[in-house]
Amino acid sequence: MSGGTKAVKADCQSRVSFAARRGNGGGFACCLLLALGCIALEGCGRPMPRLAPPAIDPAAAGQAAIDEYDTNHDGVISGAELDRCPALKAAEKKYDHGSGKITADDIAERIRAWQASRVCMSQMAIRITLDGKPLKGATVTSEPEKFLGPNIPGAKGVTNAQGTVWPQVDRSRPGMFYGLYKLRVSKTIDGQETIPARYNTETELGFEKAPDSGGLAGMKLALKSK
């Protein structure tokens, strides 16, 4: 390992330790990614390239969202239209500025805020209960909204005994890119789906993954079987 690589590794380890002591979830997520990069550095002896954010055209995405969800063609997404886009509904206060209506410009502005962040992805824990009990062994899929374009990959994971999952793009990219996602929860037994359709094929679950959305702290979902 070169002297420069050793220095970068030491800096990463220091940042992770500091973030852990401070309890800074967002900072810890950022530093965790740095630490993973340091592991790769040690293995190959040369720096890993900086992870670039997926290409999104904010203005085009905003207009595509209006085209998809503005069913009454008044130029905004509001009321019952938000029910069809659970991600926007979950993050409504970050978009509508108190008006109850989301415009193409609101969406474009928010996407630009993601893009201004120095980190394009991070991990997030999702804890799921079904009828008050931890949901173990469920497949959880984070599906990016189509209006964001084709460049954001989805993320997936399986809940542990505590009902917790950390969806990830793949093993080399542990986490999710910033974006708006539908969330689908599925668990089959003997080929039969045990989770209601409103949580998978007709999901009403969604969220925004963003620099200010809680980092590793994640979210909790309380599902009902009936």
Side-chain angles (χ1 to χ4, degrees):
M1 187 188 305
S2 69
T5 301
K6 289 180 180 179
V8 172
K9 181 182 177 184
D11 180 61
C12 289
Q13 292 171 335
S14 175
R15 293 188 188 192
V16 171
S17 176
F18 177 75
R21 292 196 302 271
R22 290 289 300 275
N24 184 334
F28 184 84
C30 175
C31 292
L32 176 59
L33 292 174
L34 287 171
L36 291 172
C38 289
I39 293 172
L41 281 173
E42 184 172 8
C44 66
R46 61 181 181 273
M48 292 288 286
R50 183 180 179 85
L51 185 63
I56 306 174
D57 181 327
Q63 186 56 53
I66 296 296
D67 292 342
E68 181 175 358
Y69 291 112
D70 175 24
T71 55
N72 65 1
H73 307 294
D74 64 352
V76 299
I77 302 171
S78 62
E81 293 168 341
L82 278 172
D83 294 335
R84 298 179 55 239
C85 186
L88 280 176
K89 184 174 183 178
E92 182 179 358
K93 293 181 180 179
K94 297 178 181 178
Y95 287 79
D96 68 10
H97 307 293
S99 68
K101 300 176 181 180
I102 298 176
T103 68
D105 287 342
D106 292 332
I107 294 170
E109 179 184 347
R110 186 67 178 160
I111 292 172
R112 292 188 186 101
W114 307 342
Q115 294 174 333
S117 172
R118 297 181 64 183
V119 179
C120 63
M121 72 181 299
S122 63
Q123 290 185 312
M124 182 177 75
I126 302 174
R127 185 174 185 273
I128 304 175
T129 60
L130 180 64
D131 298 330
K133 298 179 180 179
L135 180 60
K136 177 184 177 182
T139 298
V140 178
T141 303
S142 300
E143 179 184 305
E145 282 289 341
K146 291 187 295 183
F147 62 75
L148 295 176
N151 297 318
I152 297 183
K156 185 179 290 187
V158 178
T159 55
N160 61 20
Q162 289 73 46
T164 302
V165 61
W166 290 264
Q168 59 184 35
V169 174
D170 54 44
R171 290 185 178 181
S172 67
R173 291 178 289 183
M176 291 179 286
F177 287 98
Y178 293 149
L180 288 155
Y181 294 87
K182 286 184 171 71
L183 193 69
R184 303 187 190 276
V185 182
S186 174
K187 183 177 180 180
T188 58
I189 298 178
D190 297 328
Q192 297 295 314
E193 180 61 68
T194 64
I195 307 298
R198 66 180 181 274
Y199 303 132
N200 44 67
T201 56
E202 300 173 14
T203 188
E204 59 189 37
L205 304 174
F207 65 97
E208 181 199 55
K209 184 75 180 78
D212 57 357
S213 62
L216 291 173
M219 63 182 180
K220 297 180 181 179
L221 298 174
L223 310 186
K224 302 290 184 181
S225 59
K226 295 181 181 179

